[in-house]
Amino acid sequence: MSALVRVPTQEELPVLARLQSAAYAMDAPSWERWQHVLALGDANDAGLRVIEHEGELAGGLGLYRFGQFWGGRRVNALGCSGVAIAPELRGRGLAATLMRETLCEAARSRAIAILYPSTLHLYRSLGFESAGLTLKMEAPIDALMHGDANLRMTRFDALKLTDESSSEYAQVRAMSEARGGHWNGTLARNASIWMRVAAPKDIAVHAFFFGTKDAPEGYVIYGQSSPEPLHFNITVRDYVFITPRAASRWAAFLHTQRALADRVLWASGGHDPMLAMLAAPKAKVVEHTQWMLRILDVEEALTTRGYALNGEATFEITDALLPHNEGPVHLRVEGGVGYLRSAHPGAHPRLDIRALSALYSGFQSTESLRLMGLVTCENEEAVQQLQSLARLFVSHPSWLPDFF
């Protein structure tokens, strides 16, 4: 019997939670909460897909529909999460089938898909390629600059960020999305991601505006964990500095916690503002997670993102999964906007969709992609066109601080 990918029924949700619990060695209630959080961001189908094999539920995954910033502009994106197949049914290609069907469906409404992979081979076979690293950084409190404590900090309730009608939500969301103009890869979060930021399980969260509520200069959301009595670490869940005064105020705040606070932890892209606050080079990477990107709709992906440079390039795309992406195209960028049209066949550089996805993120060079066998150029003109294409994607550095 062939496998069937579909939306689960309400009665199947506990079964899916048990499957994911077995796949990830996490308790089923955690997955049930994950399902609830996913549903906040998608009123249509709860953001879940399952695969049925021989009449039984064999696995499933979760979908986040949000935006991702590239070149300062929002691109419609799909986040894939919690991909799981029952342990006894692995090795039958069910995960690949589940993902293929999900991506084909998503290509009708999303430009790109992103995920944090547990394996590279599977996702590369589906057209994903590495797009960045999320680094969990840790630094001693006393390694940070002392900062300036003159700017007021105004406390607000982080749970307000789960209420789209609240003024706090509107203010914080505006500042968060303004950050996307400076860092590729950051998210235009949906309700599910805001819930993950503001209301994590079993962690008390504190939230402050830098400055007054009416005219904030940034914000910070953080939690605390106690490795031993009378000592704690500060984990930054989200932050935005609009002004240098806000960054200096956060440094001063951390400095004043040093009697009991030992360390501060945060999600970094390797070039974020928190790193610039260090007075001594004592930060270290305690965990690094690779994330991947796949272009689902070439035209939408290339014409809705922003660009830093003007230029043009002609190239040919191959995409075994999504044939609507295939063929020769010409990309012209003018005034930060991309325009795409079909091109005549010729000796153009030929890019696998994995190669285009990697260039799109700016994470890999054309030479690396050539050595991976994802790019071919038959003559010098094709090489020059490929270099022209790569230059168009030179932009802001990437930073994806959200894990999903």
Side-chain angles (χ1 to χ4, degrees):
M1 180 182 294
S2 61
L4 174 65
V5 176
R6 56 176 174 78
V7 177
T9 65
Q10 191 68 29
E11 293 73 24
E12 289 174 322
L13 296 184
V15 180
L16 177 59
R18 289 195 294 272
L19 287 176
Q20 290 171 313
S21 175
Y24 287 93
M26 293 171 58
D27 61 279
S30 294
W31 286 107
E32 290 170 357
R33 183 179 187 278
W34 173 80
Q35 292 173 359
H36 169 71
V37 171
L38 268 178
L40 296 175
D42 198 319
N44 294 323
D45 58 21
L48 293 167
R49 295 293 179 273
V50 293
I51 185 166
E52 182 182 314
H53 175 67
E54 296 182 350
E56 294 185 5
L57 206 65
L61 55 75
L63 304 173
Y64 294 88
R65 294 175 176 89
F66 42 50
Q68 190 175 37
F69 288 98
W70 292 101
R73 297 179 66 192
R74 183 187 189 278
V75 178
N76 285 331
L78 181 79
C80 302
S81 174
V83 180
I85 299 297
E88 70 274 15
L89 295 176
R90 293 179 188 172
R92 306 185 186 198
L94 294 175
T97 299
L98 174 62
M99 282 297 302
R100 274 197 304 268
E101 295 296 320
T102 300
L103 295 175
C104 288
E105 175 194 354
R108 297 194 289 269
S109 61
R110 302 278 105 180
I112 58 176
I114 60 175
L115 53 77
Y116 286 97
S118 56
T119 174
L120 295 177
H121 175 73
L122 169 64
Y123 297 113
R124 281 177 168 155
S125 73
L126 296 164
F128 285 88
E129 193 44 73
S130 299
L133 292 172
T134 297
L135 310 174
K136 185 176 182 180
M137 304 295 297
E138 178 185 277
I141 294 289
D142 60 11
L144 299 170
M145 296 185 297
H146 293 182
D148 185 335
N150 286 328
L151 181 64
R152 176 180 177 179
M153 290 179 68
T154 305
R155 182 183 289 272
F156 68 93
D157 184 358
L159 286 177
K160 293 285 188 180
L161 302 182
T162 65
D163 177 7
E164 296 185 1
S165 66
S166 72
S167 60
E168 291 86 351
Y169 173 82
Q171 290 174 298
V172 170
R173 177 180 176 179
M175 288 186 281
S176 173
E177 296 194 2
R179 174 175 56 190
H182 305 286
W183 277 278
N184 283 330
T186 57
L187 299 184
R189 298 174 174 135
N190 66 0
S192 299
I193 300 297
W194 278 117
M195 176 65 82
R196 292 179 65 89
V197 171
K201 179 185 177 184
D202 299 332
I203 299 175
V205 169
H206 304 273
F208 291 90
F209 290 120
F210 297 111
T212 65
K213 179 182 177 182
D214 294 334
E217 299 178 31
Y219 69 88
V220 65
I221 303 167
Y222 70 91
Q224 295 169 298
S225 59
S226 299
E228 58 181 283
L230 298 180
H231 286 272
F232 61 87
N233 294 328
I234 293 175
T235 299
V236 180
R237 302 194 61 77
D238 190 27
Y239 72 97
V240 170
F241 303 140
I242 302 296
T243 66
R245 291 203 311 164
S248 184
R249 183 64 183 93
W250 178 234
F253 177 89
L254 291 173
H255 181 69
T256 61
Q257 308 301 306
R258 66 191 186 280
L260 295 179
D262 297 324
R263 298 181 176 275
V264 58
L265 298 93
W266 72 99
S268 170
H271 41 68
D272 56 280
M274 282 282 294
L275 283 174
M277 292 167 52
L278 291 169
K282 294 184 179 180
K284 64 179 181 179
V285 177
V286 294
E287 184 179 329
H288 65 89
T289 309
Q290 186 172 337
W291 57 279
M292 305 181 84
L293 181 147
R294 201 236 198 257
I295 292 178
L296 300 175
D297 185 305
V298 168
E299 181 175 7
E300 184 180 351
L302 296 183
T303 58
T304 58
R305 66 164 288 159
Y307 298 86
L309 302 174
N310 292 337
E312 57 185 331
T314 303
F315 54 100
E316 183 176 348
I317 306 162
T318 61
D319 189 339
L321 178 61
L322 300 172
H324 66 267
N325 288 328
E326 294 198 309
V329 294
H330 179 83
L331 174 64
R332 175 176 62 88
V333 175
E334 186 174 334
V337 179
Y339 303 89
L340 194 72
R341 61 171 174 82
S342 298
H344 296 296
H348 311 305
R350 184 176 294 107
L351 289 79
D352 184 88
I353 195 66
R354 283 172 55 196
L356 185 60
S357 298
L359 286 179
Y360 189 91
S361 69
F363 187 65
Q364 298 196 46
S365 68
T366 54
E367 180 60 14
S368 294
L369 297 171
R370 185 188 69 81
L371 293 173
M372 293 167 67
L374 300 178
V375 174
T376 57
C377 296
E378 296 179 3
N379 53 39
E380 184 59 30
E381 181 181 352
V383 172
Q384 293 177 359
Q385 288 291 320
L386 179 62
Q387 292 171 345
S388 296
L389 177 63
R391 281 194 292 270
L392 294 177
F393 294 122
V394 174
S395 184
H396 311 293
S398 63
W399 177 28
L400 178 55
D402 290 301
F403 189 83
F404 54 86

